[in-house]
DNA sequence: AGCACGCCGACT
DNA sequence: GTCGGCGTGCTC
């Protein structure tokens, strides 16, 4: 039977008085969903008063528009200013608990981001309602289109509108003719050729309503046809069922059902249902017996539960059974009537974790990630909000899950860069989890085999409590890692250059034993450095300062930064030669080479190119598990937390790629990546081994990865961080400046740098200092046609750093107000490319 | 964000 | 002289 939607009883819309003391607010404080700092006070008209509560969305007048806002609480008295009334309350019940408002405020403050935008970002998408201006052609306008009164430019606008009405935003959007401006449209409206009307748009996402049918008893069925009698028979046994289910049971038309309704035999009703994001059902499991180490870890953290705020760092080697620790703690938290939030870096791993949790905890689990469609996401949110689930598992955005009674926050693979949101609100969900735990006065648990430098430092300085799992479950040994010096095979040609004899031998042995091999190379495509053999010119991107990557499968050169591509058949851009040398290797080349070396083996590839299609990744993982694949070649995607029981050999093709990144975290990332991918070996019955090929066999990141010991790495890395005053000793805010005009962007970058230095001189006369570094050109000076500059603010006093950022955002409108140059702040940056 | 206000160059 | 370009400021 297909997965049917769960039925939810509809709530009684008349709320008992006194249920919530907020519901008598005369004025409310509202954060609007716009890039506006500060909040606003609105009056609540009498008829809306019983609906207005903290956490509800409202429609408010703002300037001459209507926008969505969020009620934060009761309003402040404004000094004699006009107070406008709210126009509508958009939610019957609050969309988030009042307790989360302090968390939203903290987030907005820390990341120097407008509060309303933070809340909008936190909520499931598709809820925002706002006015938009729509242009429609008038009769006069239609005539002007064929007449001579209108100029060419005016006719271009009118022609667009002759097809259909269009919003002003759509008309003035960049890809459409740049000469279309809002002002020009307004001028046409003054001529009477078009009219501009205001429409309320958005907010389409909401509960799903499904049609149900049920029989009415006591109506004579003597006259019914056989078909209709059969329908009634089904309803008699099934009771109230979804209409969809009825039409499956009895192939029938809606007209027949309608006729039966009119004759009074059945009634149709609507019910709110949840859209179900879960795949196949899972079989329940029972908790396994913990080993002594796991048991000790669980007990230590159990003692902290209920004792207020604390952060625990669970440093457990790969395969040490961290998930089981999370599940034991979750069980206890749930037993106490509290909720558990679990953050996982990637969707593929969420699915794995979600299945394990559903096997243990059944229906009490919700998921939140970008793989859900808008409706599913909304429903999962509502289930959490109503307290119908006790566990939510999700990606970084799930840090905003609307629990009012959190008892534990878990961040798995806490070192993972995926917790850092890039884009407009650049938050780090791992850091926010500690903040949220503090505000909820509860425990945050950060788990990793390769903890970040920041978390290690917090453990060393006793801000975090460290709990370790040093051994794998069932006494499985950690894989033995052999380091191979790639410099020795520099003279080799073709595949032998990157598959050394040692790796090849190990692969042969593994395949002979019927075991699986994982080959890791952190670069996709076939060749990463295509060069014309005739003129020596590299194949470059038109819009970025970077060489393109050759993709054999699609026979084209592609830019991994902006998506630009060139057909391989066209040859060299400069001299037209068709002879292009494919230097630099990616996973595609490794896959091809390995296929030739082991023609009898089944080789598959796992990278962004092969997993882009929905469901492709899950299929790949399934094939691997069922041993339909002998050798899997992949990028960092294979390094992350997966449990591959059949893999006994991991080959790291070239360990150095991430080491050469121009970033102070390059060493840390390299260590984490190598230790993690090594951890994929020997997770089943048979022990694993790793062949690690590198040009830098003596680099401490690589040596530490060989030991699979984050403490070794930490001890070596920390002096560098201290010497250069990098995190964890200092905090940083990264200012990114980008624009299409080279000179304008550079000039503006210098202006911002000068402004920062001036503010520092004015406000921070005494130490501790805030260093303003730059502006310098970004490591990739041009991406997608935009010139990029950056300024780094660095200081050990986080409060000062933030004051500077705030002064920039609030007190220096010229910095951010330039139309041609985009300026963004990145607090605690992860990647500084 | 989006809209109005206000200040400067190039046109009827 | 004005039209319309864009920097600046404001939205309860």
């Amino acid at each position: 039977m297909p997965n049917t939607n769960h039925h939810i009883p509809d709530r009684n819309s008349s709320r008992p008085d006194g249920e919530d003391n907020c519901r008598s607010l005369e004025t409310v404080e509202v954060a609007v969903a716009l890039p506006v700092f500060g909040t606003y006070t609105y009056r609540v008209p009498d008829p809306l008063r019983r609906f207005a509560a903290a956490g509800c969305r409202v429609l408010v007048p703002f300037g001459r528009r209507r926008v969505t806002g969020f009620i934060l609480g009761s309003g402040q008295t404004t000094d004699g200013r006009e107070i406008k009334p709210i126009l509508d309350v958009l939610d019957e019940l609050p969309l988030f608990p009042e307790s989360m408002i302090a968390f939203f405020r903290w987030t907005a403050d820390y990341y120097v981001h407008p509060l309303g935008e933070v809340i909008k970002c936190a909520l499931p998408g598709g809820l925002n309602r706002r006015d938009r201006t729509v242009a429609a052609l008038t009769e006069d306008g239609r005539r002007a289109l064929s007449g001579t009164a209108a100029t060419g430019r005016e006719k271009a606008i009118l022609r667009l509108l002759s097809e259909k009405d269009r919003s002003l935003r759509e008309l003035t959007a960049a890809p459409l003719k740049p000469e279309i401006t809002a002002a020009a449209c307004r001028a046409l409206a003054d001529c009477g050729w078009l009219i501009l009307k205001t429409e309320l748009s958005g907010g389409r996402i909401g509960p799903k309503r499904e049609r149900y049918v049920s029989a009415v008893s006591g109506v004579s069925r003597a006259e019914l046809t056989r078909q209709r009698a059969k329908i009634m028979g089904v309803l008699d046994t099934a009771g109230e069922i979804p209409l969809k289910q009825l039409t499956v049971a009895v192939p029938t038309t809606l007209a027949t059902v309608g006729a039966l309704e009119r004759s009074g035999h059945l009634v149709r009703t609507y019910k709110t249902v949840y859209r179900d994001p879960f795949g196949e059902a899972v079989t329940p499991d029972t908790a396994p017996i913990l080993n002594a180490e796991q048991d000790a870890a669980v007990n230590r953290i159990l003692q902290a539960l209920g004792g207020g705020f604390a952060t625990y760092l669970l440093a457990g080697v790969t395969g040490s059974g961290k998930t089981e620790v999370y599940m034991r703690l979750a069980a206890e938290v749930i037993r106490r009537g509290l909720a558990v939030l679990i953050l996982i870096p990637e969707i593929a791993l969420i699915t794995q974790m979600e299945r394990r949790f559903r096997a243990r905890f059944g229906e009490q689990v919700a998921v939140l990630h970008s793989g859900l469609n808008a409706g599913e996401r909304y429903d999962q949110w509502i289930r959490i909000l109503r307290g119908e689930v006790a566990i939510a598992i999700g990606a970084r955005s799930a840090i905003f899950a609307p629990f009012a009674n959190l008892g534990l926050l878990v961040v798995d693979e806490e070192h993972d860069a995926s917790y850092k949101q890039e884009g407009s609100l650049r938050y780090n969900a791992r850091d926010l989890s500690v903040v949220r735990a503090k505000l909820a006065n509860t425990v945050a648990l950060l788990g990793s085999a390769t903890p970040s430098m920041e978390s290690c430092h917090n453990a060393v300085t006793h801000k975090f409590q460290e709990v370790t799992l040093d051994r794998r479950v069932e006494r499985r040994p950690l894989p033995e890692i052999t380091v191979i010096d790639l410099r020795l095979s520099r003279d080799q040609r073709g595949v032998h250059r990157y598959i050394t004899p040692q790796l090849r031998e190990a692969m042969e042995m593994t395949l002979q034993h019927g075991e699986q091999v994982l080959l890791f190379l952190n670069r996709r495509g076939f060749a990463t450095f295509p060069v014309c053999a005739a003129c020596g010119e590299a194949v470059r991107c038109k819009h970025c300062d970077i060489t393109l990557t050759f993709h054999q499968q699609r026979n084209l050169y592609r830019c991994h930064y902006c998506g630009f591509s060139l057909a391989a058949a066209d040859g060299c851009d400069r001299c037209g030669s068709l002879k292009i040398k494919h230097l630099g290797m990616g996973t595609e080349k490794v896959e091809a080479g390995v296929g030739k070396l082991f023609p009898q083996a089944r080789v598959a590839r796992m990278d962004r190119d092969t997993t882009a299609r929905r469901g492709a990744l899950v299929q790949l993982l399934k094939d691997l598990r069922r041993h339909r694949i002998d050798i899997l070649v992949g990028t960092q995607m294979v390094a992350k937390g997966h449990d591959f029981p059949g893999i006994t050999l991991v080959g790291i093709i070239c360990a150095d790629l991430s080491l050469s990144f121009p970033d102070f975290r390059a060493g840390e990332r390299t260590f984490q990546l190598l230790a993690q991918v090594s951890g994929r070996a020997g997770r089943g019955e048979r022990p694993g081994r790793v062949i690690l090929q590198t040009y830098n066999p003596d680099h401490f990141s690589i040596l530490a990865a060989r030991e699979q010991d984050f403490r070794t790495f930490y001890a070596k890395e920390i002096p560098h961080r201290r010497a250069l005053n990098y995190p964890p000793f200092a905090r940083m805010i990264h200012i990114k400046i980008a624009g299409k005009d080279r000179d304008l962007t550079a000039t503006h970058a210098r202006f911002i740098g000068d402004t920062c230095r001036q503010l520092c001189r004015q406000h921070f006369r005494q130490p501790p200092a805030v260093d303003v570094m730059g502006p310098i050109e970004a490591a990739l000076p041009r991406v997608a046609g935009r010139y990029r500059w950056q300024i780094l603010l660095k200081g050990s006093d986080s409060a000062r750093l933030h004051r500077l950022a705030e002064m920039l955002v609030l007190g220096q409108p010229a910095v951010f107000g330039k139309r041609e140059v985009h300026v963004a702040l990145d607090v605690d940056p992860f990647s500084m490319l």
Side-chain angles (χ1 to χ4, degrees):
Chain A
M1 207 184 98
N3 231 321
T4 52
N5 293 312
H6 314 286
H7 163 243
I8 320 150
D10 281 326
R11 291 233 158 170
N12 189 348
S13 62
S14 71
R15 275 174 292 256
D17 284 329
E19 172 195 25
D20 187 337
N21 54 13
C22 265
R23 289 186 192 275
S24 53
L25 299 172
E26 282 180 43
T27 61
V28 282
E29 184 189 10
V30 171
V32 290
L34 289 175
V36 169
F37 289 87
T39 57
Y40 297 84
T41 303
Y42 286 88
R43 184 165 55 76
V44 186
D46 259 335
L48 292 177
R49 200 153 294 170
R50 69 197 192 95
F51 300 106
C56 282
R57 288 176 306 144
V58 284
L59 190 68
V60 293
F62 196 67
R64 32 184 69 227
R65 297 175 296 158
R66 293 171 295 175
V67 294
T68 301
F70 309 100
I71 300 183
L72 304 172
S74 68
Q76 284 107 28
T77 44
T78 47
D79 36 320
R81 273 180 125 274
E82 184 200 358
I83 299 183
K84 290 188 184 175
I86 60 174
L87 303 171
D88 200 1
V89 179
L90 300 175
D91 299 299
E92 216 175 89
L93 293 165
L95 265 185
F96 49 86
E98 203 173 347
S99 58
M100 283 186 71
I101 292 170
F103 181 53
F104 289 141
R105 283 208 154 104
W106 194 96
T107 306
D109 239 41
Y110 187 77
Y111 292 105
V112 204
H113 204 79
L115 180 55
E117 297 267 280
V118 168
I119 298 176
K120 183 180 149 199
C121 222
L123 297 180
L127 293 171
N128 211 36
R129 307 193 67 183
R130 60 191 309 190
D131 268 336
R132 56 178 200 157
T133 313
V134 178
L137 208 59
T138 60
E139 273 310 306
D140 279 354
R142 208 168 286 282
R143 275 192 289 276
L145 192 53
S146 48
T148 53
T151 65
R153 182 169 90 162
E154 288 166 345
K155 279 190 180 175
I157 300 175
L158 297 177
R159 205 168 303 122
L160 280 167
L161 292 174
S162 65
E163 295 163 26
K164 59 170 196 223
D165 295 357
R166 288 168 197 271
S167 72
L168 220 51
R169 207 146 180 238
E170 190 185 347
L171 283 172
T172 56
L176 273 173
K177 308 214 161 60
E179 63 256 34
I180 299 182
T181 61
C185 295
R186 259 175 252 287
L188 291 183
D190 291 341
C191 295
W193 288 345
L194 55 83
I195 50 165
L196 293 174
K197 41 192 181 180
T198 310
E199 277 179 6
L200 208 51
S201 72
R204 295 232 181 87
I205 301 300
K208 182 182 178 183
R209 316 260 292 162
E210 206 162 76
R211 264 193 276 190
Y212 274 68
V213 281
S214 56
V216 176
S217 56
V219 181
S220 163
R221 297 178 183 175
E223 305 286 301
L224 291 182
T225 61
R226 264 181 58 197
Q227 169 83 350
R228 294 185 182 191
K230 196 172 168 200
I231 292 176
M232 295 314 299
V234 169
L235 290 184
D236 285 338
T237 39
E240 189 175 40
I241 56 168
L243 182 57
K244 256 194 274 173
Q245 200 178 321
L246 175 68
T247 50
V248 170
V250 189
T252 181
T253 62
L254 292 177
T256 314
V257 175
L260 281 168
E261 189 183 24
R262 277 192 300 279
S263 61
H265 288 91
L266 58 79
V267 285
R268 280 193 289 193
T269 45
Y270 281 93
K271 281 187 195 294
T272 305
V273 295
Y274 286 137
R275 287 150 281 209
D276 189 349
F278 297 111
E280 313 142 37
V282 290
T283 35
D285 79 338
T286 44
I289 296 165
L290 298 180
N291 65 30
E293 241 188 0
Q294 285 174 310
D295 199 48
V298 168
N299 282 326
R300 252 194 81 191
I301 303 165
L302 273 182
Q303 277 166 23
L305 289 178
F309 167 62
T311 305
Y312 279 79
L313 176 62
L314 178 62
V317 296
T318 55
S320 59
K322 290 186 284 291
T323 302
E324 193 54 44
V325 173
Y326 305 152
M327 291 207 276
R328 291 303 169 92
L329 295 169
E332 176 57 24
V333 172
I334 294 168
R335 201 188 60 77
R336 298 181 187 185
L338 297 175
V340 185
L341 178 56
I342 298 166
L343 301 188
I344 312 286
E346 306 229 325
I347 299 181
L349 297 171
I350 294 174
T351 311
Q352 190 175 310
M353 187 70 79
E354 163 223 311
R355 292 182 69 79
R356 288 186 67 177
F357 269 79
R358 278 201 296 142
R360 185 76 53 86
F361 299 100
E363 292 295 301
Q364 308 181 70
V365 181
V367 292
L368 282 173
H369 56 74
S370 57
L372 309 183
N373 66 38
E376 289 167 345
R377 224 180 137 76
Y378 175 84
D379 284 350
Q380 294 295 307
W381 183 274
I382 297 294
R383 291 178 73 210
I384 296 167
L385 187 64
R386 292 187 173 175
E388 291 169 14
V389 295
I391 302 171
I393 301 174
R396 59 175 176 257
S397 65
I399 186 59
F400 299 113
F403 283 119
N405 57 341
L406 273 178
L408 177 68
L409 289 100
V410 176
V411 182
D412 192 29
E413 311 288 3
E414 66 85 28
H415 64 279
D416 200 294
S418 315
Y419 287 120
K420 182 70 201 293
Q421 162 89 338
E422 304 287 334
S424 61
L425 172 60
R426 299 168 169 270
Y427 63 89
N428 185 325
R430 182 247 289 156
D431 299 341
L432 282 183
S433 75
V434 177
V435 174
R436 191 158 179 201
K438 181 159 191 190
L439 292 173
N441 199 30
T442 188
V443 173
L445 174 58
L446 314 183
S448 177
T450 53
S452 61
M453 288 297 288
E454 285 85 349
S455 294
C456 285
H457 192 66
N458 283 330
V460 168
T461 55
H462 302 292
K463 274 169 126 179
F464 293 178
Q465 312 302 311
E466 188 178 332
V467 178
T468 51
L469 299 174
D470 285 328
R471 265 180 286 165
R472 284 189 159 182
V473 293
E474 293 173 15
R475 298 172 179 262
R476 284 174 195 150
L478 276 171
E480 175 207 324
I481 301 183
T482 313
V483 174
I484 307 291
D485 191 344
L486 272 178
R487 289 175 298 191
L488 303 175
S489 42
R490 266 196 178 140
D491 303 333
Q492 298 291 324
R493 310 298 269 127
V495 68
H496 303 290
R497 207 184 158 110
Y498 54 90
I499 306 280
T500 58
Q502 293 94 326
L503 177 55
R504 184 181 175 164
E505 229 164 80
M507 288 173 74
E508 268 164 16
M509 291 268 287
T510 309
L511 294 175
Q512 263 168 32
H513 287 137
E515 292 160 12
Q516 293 168 301
V517 179
L518 181 70
L519 294 181
F520 166 71
L521 177 68
N522 200 14
R523 205 161 276 177
R524 65 196 169 94
F526 187 87
T528 52
F529 197 70
V531 178
C532 174
C535 72
E537 177 81 354
V539 183
R540 292 181 184 284
C541 179
K542 212 166 99 185
H543 311 293
C544 313
D545 290 325
I546 195 120
T547 56
L548 299 179
T549 299
F550 175 58
H551 287 254
Q552 191 175 52
Q553 210 172 353
R554 314 192 61 178
N555 201 31
L556 49 72
Y557 299 98
R558 184 178 290 286
C559 173
H560 287 181
Y561 288 87
C562 76
F564 172 76
S565 67
L566 284 174
D570 293 349
C572 175
D573 212 27
R574 192 164 78 173
C575 74
S577 164
L578 292 177
K579 233 179 145 194
I580 309 278
K581 276 197 280 187
H582 288 143
L583 305 180
M585 59 176 167
T587 45
E588 243 185 347
K589 194 188 268 185
V590 174
E591 183 192 19
V594 166
K596 278 196 196 126
L597 223 47
F598 300 96
Q600 75 293 353
R602 294 160 296 180
V603 184
R605 178 160 54 90
M606 181 166 144
D607 55 28
R608 219 160 77 206
D609 299 318
T610 63
T611 57
R613 220 182 59 246
R614 199 184 152 129
L617 177 59
V618 175
Q619 188 58 46
L620 209 52
L621 294 172
K622 213 181 260 178
D623 286 348
L624 192 69
R625 201 166 275 268
R626 300 203 177 140
H627 210 143
R628 290 192 195 127
I629 295 169
D630 299 309
I631 303 173
L632 182 69
V633 182
T635 55
Q636 58 175 328
M637 211 175 251
V638 302
K640 297 195 175 180
H642 293 287
D643 200 19
F644 301 136
I647 287 175
T648 54
L649 175 68
V650 166
I652 296 167
I653 301 294
C654 178
D656 313 294
L657 295 179
S658 51
L659 213 49
S660 54
F661 258 63
D663 185 321
F664 74 94
R665 270 192 262 254
E668 180 180 353
R669 285 229 189 98
T670 303
F671 162 72
Q672 287 163 347
L673 210 47
L674 298 180
Q676 289 286 346
V677 75
S678 300
R680 298 316 111 205
R683 296 174 74 97
E685 316 255 298
R686 315 239 357 164
R689 67 178 293 211
V690 178
I691 305 282
L692 189 160
Q693 305 184 143
T694 173
Y695 289 103
N696 295 288
D698 305 320
H699 193 285
F700 70 85
S701 296
I702 289 179
L703 293 173
R706 189 182 65 192
E707 304 304 319
Q708 297 167 76
D709 183 13
F710 70 91
R711 288 184 196 85
T712 312
F713 177 79
Y714 179 79
K716 293 274 188 199
E717 173 76 0
I718 203 77
H720 297 289
R721 300 285 180 97
R722 195 193 309 269
L724 297 170
N725 196 30
Y726 273 128
F729 296 101
R731 300 292 192 92
M732 306 198 300
I733 294 178
H734 191 208
I735 307 175
K736 301 172 189 236
I737 303 137
K740 294 215 155 131
D741 185 302
R742 181 201 294 250
D743 296 334
L744 218 57
T745 311
T747 308
H748 195 56
R750 277 193 294 274
F751 164 69
I752 299 173
D754 293 343
T755 308
C756 290
R757 272 182 264 273
Q758 196 187 338
L759 287 171
C760 284
R761 272 198 303 275
Q762 274 170 14
H763 297 271
F764 309 140
R765 295 207 170 151
Q766 309 292 323
V770 170
D771 293 330
V772 179
M773 299 159 73
I776 55 160
E777 247 184 344
L780 290 166
R782 195 174 58 116
V783 167
R786 293 166 92 178
Y787 293 89
R788 305 156 82 234
W789 288 77
Q790 49 191 29
I791 295 169
L792 197 58
L793 310 178
K794 203 169 72 168
S796 40
D797 184 355
S798 169
R800 270 199 172 180
L801 208 54
H802 274 82
R803 235 179 331 128
L804 177 56
E806 236 170 59
M807 287 190 288
L808 270 182
V809 173
L810 303 176
Q812 305 288 327
V815 165
F816 292 87
K818 209 159 175 70
R819 251 196 276 278
E820 302 90 339
V821 185
H822 186 247
V823 183
L825 285 189
D826 189 352
V827 177
D828 303 332
F830 234 74
S831 161
M832 297 202 285
L833 282 183

